[in-house]
Amino acid sequence: MDTEAVRSFVRAAELGQLQHAANELGVTQQAVSKRIAALERELEVRLFTRTARGVELTLDGQAFLPHARSIVTGVERAVAAVRPGSRALRIDVLGLRSAQAVILHDYWRSHPDVDLDVVTLKVNDPRVAVAAVEAGEIDASFRSVTDPATLPRDVQMIHAFDSPLELLVGPRHPLAAARRLTPPQLHRHRIWVPGIAPRTEWAVFYDQLVTEFDLSIDAAGPHFGDEVLLDTLADSADVATLVGSRDRYIWPTNHDLRRIPIVNPTLAYPLSLILPRSNPHPGLRKIIDHFGSLAPLPEATWRPSWATTPDGS
């Protein structure tokens, strides 16, 4: 199959006009029309119908489009595999102050020649991120699907690293003076985690955390941003929250907030990486190897039931 014909079909379908597709591809409209006609002959179906505004997909064209996109993405990845510097590595993180972004920044500082494009899809549903990876819109996403059996055949999820939790409190909180805390010491203390979206990986995480350690997780109210959360903690004598040890938070010095590690067991939030099963971006391998160089967590570590580990279990 002529991959340039497939590429022409995809761009014409997305732009709705053969001339616009030709302009983007740097060829004539006649060349695009001939490519698509040859593709239709090979497939023995009509892919487009012409309208006054351009072209519209037939039912066969609609069925063929997602597969055609996969072909184009596969070709681009094949080219990138032999030309590593030809395209930036595009990775989705939950936030630019999250542990994922911090780890990527640490890696980039050691490898400043790496062309990284760090993005945030700003979606709660991990299936949206999975679809973006499958479509080739991003190369990988730091998301977790709590039931890996639901992943598409062409997408895989691997363990990236674990993020140990810390209790974040203001100076008047009863636990503010502690250097370390165990999960039983958190019992009956209000832990405020606003904005937990239902059916997300972190909703499942906190549900299992509450069940396992009898914690009081309060998810009331929308999340108005880290600044509002930090202001509330600074002024409160009874509210605390949980943060990842590698998450980056910045607050005024007069807030005097305290980050207290939780031990015996360490409470770990597992971070996974979703990526294509075949032809992943060549830059991903070194980043995945970098995860393996991070300091391991203590043997006494609790993880949720859906967590994956470096050995895949």
Side-chain angles (χ1 to χ4, degrees):
M1 183 173 291
D2 183 353
T3 57
E4 287 306 310
V6 177
R7 188 188 306 275
S8 298
F9 161 73
V10 169
R11 296 312 292 140
E14 292 172 344
L15 297 173
Q17 291 193 8
L18 299 185
Q19 185 60 60
H20 290 172
N23 293 342
E24 185 172 300
L25 295 170
V27 297
T28 65
Q29 178 177 338
Q30 185 180 19
V32 170
S33 183
K34 285 183 176 180
R35 289 175 181 177
I36 292 174
L39 186 61
E40 289 177 326
R41 285 194 298 272
E42 183 172 358
L43 296 172
E44 298 181 349
V45 297
R46 289 285 301 278
L47 297 173
F48 288 115
T49 57
R50 293 184 178 272
T51 69
R53 293 177 296 178
V55 291
E56 291 183 356
L57 289 169
T58 63
L59 290 177
D60 289 322
Q62 294 173 30
F64 183 59
L65 181 58
H67 303 289
R69 283 182 172 138
S70 297
I71 292 170
V72 172
T73 299
V75 170
E76 290 175 348
R77 286 183 176 143
V79 172
V82 295
R83 298 178 187 169
S86 62
R87 182 175 60 82
L89 172 58
R90 187 174 171 86
I91 301 183
D92 163 54
V93 299
L94 287 174
L96 295 179
R97 293 184 179 179
S98 66
Q100 309 102 311
V102 171
I103 293 297
L104 285 178
H105 184 233
D106 289 343
Y107 173 79
W108 179 82
R109 287 196 302 172
S110 302
H111 305 80
D113 56 320
V114 174
D115 192 5
L116 268 180
D117 184 11
V118 179
V119 301
T120 56
L121 292 183
K122 298 187 182 301
V123 294
N124 288 324
D125 191 341
R127 293 174 296 181
V128 177
V130 169
V133 171
E134 187 178 24
E137 297 168 7
I138 54 176
D139 294 300
S141 175
F142 278 101
R143 307 281 173 150
S144 293
V145 175
T146 55
D147 183 4
T150 63
L151 285 171
R153 182 176 56 186
D154 297 332
V155 175
Q156 63 176 319
M157 182 176 71
I158 64 172
H159 176 268
F161 59 91
D162 292 316
S163 180
L165 298 188
E166 297 175 332
L167 193 74
L168 181 63
V169 298
R172 297 191 295 124
H173 194 278
L175 301 176
R179 297 184 62 184
R180 291 181 178 82
L181 292 166
T182 63
Q185 291 176 287
L186 307 182
H187 183 60
R188 298 189 184 282
H189 288 282
R190 179 191 174 202
I191 300 174
W192 189 39
V193 187
I196 299 177
R199 296 182 297 279
T200 58
E201 60 188 85
W202 47 92
V204 178
F205 174 84
Y206 284 115
D207 284 346
Q208 293 192 8
L209 198 64
V210 167
T211 301
E212 183 74 19
F213 298 103
D214 193 24
L215 301 185
S216 299
I217 302 292
D218 180 5
H223 183 35
F224 285 103
D226 292 340
E227 288 76 10
V228 172
L229 176 62
L230 298 175
D231 289 346
T232 301
L233 295 176
D235 293 337
S236 176
D238 63 355
V239 179
T241 196
L242 292 170
V243 298
S245 64
R246 292 187 176 97
D247 294 340
R248 183 183 291 119
Y249 290 90
I250 301 173
W251 56 78
T253 54
N254 62 352
H255 275 19
D256 194 22
L257 300 182
R258 324 296 176 75
R259 299 179 69 144
I260 309 170
I262 301 170
V263 299
N264 298 325
T266 296
L267 306 181
Y269 191 96
L271 293 163
S272 302
L273 193 66
I274 294 172
L275 68 157
R277 191 172 295 278
S278 60
N279 298 319
H281 190 289
L284 277 172
R285 181 69 265 165
K286 290 184 178 179
I287 290 180
I288 293 170
D289 290 342
H290 176 69
F291 298 151
S293 70
L294 301 176
L297 297 190
E299 185 175 342
T301 294
W302 176 88
R303 297 174 178 87
S305 62
W306 48 266
T308 56
T309 58
D311 63 4
S313 60

